[in-house]
Amino acid sequence: MNLEAIIFDLDGVIVDTAIFHYQAWKRLANELGFDLTIHQNEHLKGISRFESLEIVLEVGKINHLTKKEKEELATRKNEWYSENIHKMTPDDILPGVKVFLEKLKSAKYKIAIGSSSKNAGVILERIGYSNYFDAVIDGNKISFSKPDPEVFIKAAKELKADPRNCVVFEDAAAGIEAAHNAGMKAIGVGSPEVLCKADLIVPDFRNINISIFDKLI
Ligand code: B16
Ligand code: MG
């Protein structure tokens, strides 16, 4: 691999918005009369809002809602989630991320965001990264969410990079699969149990150097 570009998932990799998603889905589940565990929440990571809702409803064995009712629930969840992300500041960037991104930029690698979220623009603005990445592909620009490779293929295309020379950082099993489906290497950020299919796993971005990519070849 002749490394050209690095693509970062957003929720759970650059910032810890994964917890806000969980809190909002759990609140919705509780209002509907059931609970959503952390383990069940793992399946919601990296997939679209509507696909997530379908899984949540399945957990609660709720299967008689109309499309309109489902849309209302998804909107309600997003309003709670929005309240939290609008309070974010650059201090919410996860430890080690800023330094690592600066190292990549200094080494002239191209960097992109590849996220399933339709809220990615707001989050990037709140944390001061609106114009920082060479490309941002988010939930508004894709038709199929992870594990479909669309988001990463589009990011590589915008960066004018060969997918085989791209590395993805992901916190979700669906995202690792999406990177592999795109022909890219995937580094999991988080728990080895969830990310067992990743080419490499790191707990977070503290103490990470560019030399990490040597381990992928
Ligand atoms: P939204 P990522 C994903 O973002 C989240 O992991 C996933 O939990 C969420 O359902 C999805 O975005 C859609 O988010 O409701 O904001 O459009 O991890 O791909 O950056
Ligand atoms: Mg994520």
Side-chain angles (χ1 to χ4, degrees), residues 66-81:
T66 62
K67 188 156 187 269
K68 191 163 172 277
E69 286 168 327
K70 287 183 187 174
E71 274 164 6
E72 279 165 11
L73 292 180
T75 301
R76 207 190 302 170
K77 179 265 171 181
N78 192 54
E79 281 167 3
W80 294 326
Y81 176 70

Side-chain angles (χ1 to χ4, degrees), residues 21 23 53 69 84 89 95 117 125 134 142 175 201 208:
H21 279 297
Q23 286 166 350
L53 175 67
E69 286 168 327
N84 277 324
T89 72
S117 175
E125 193 206 317
D134 301 304
I142 54 171
I201 301 169
I208 289 205

Side-chain angles (χ1 to χ4, degrees), residues 9-13 18 45-46 115 146 169-172:
D9 171 49
L10 181 62
D11 291 333
V13 169
K45 288 186 181 173
S115 166
K146 302 162 187 175
F169 281 94
E170 256 293 348
D171 73 318

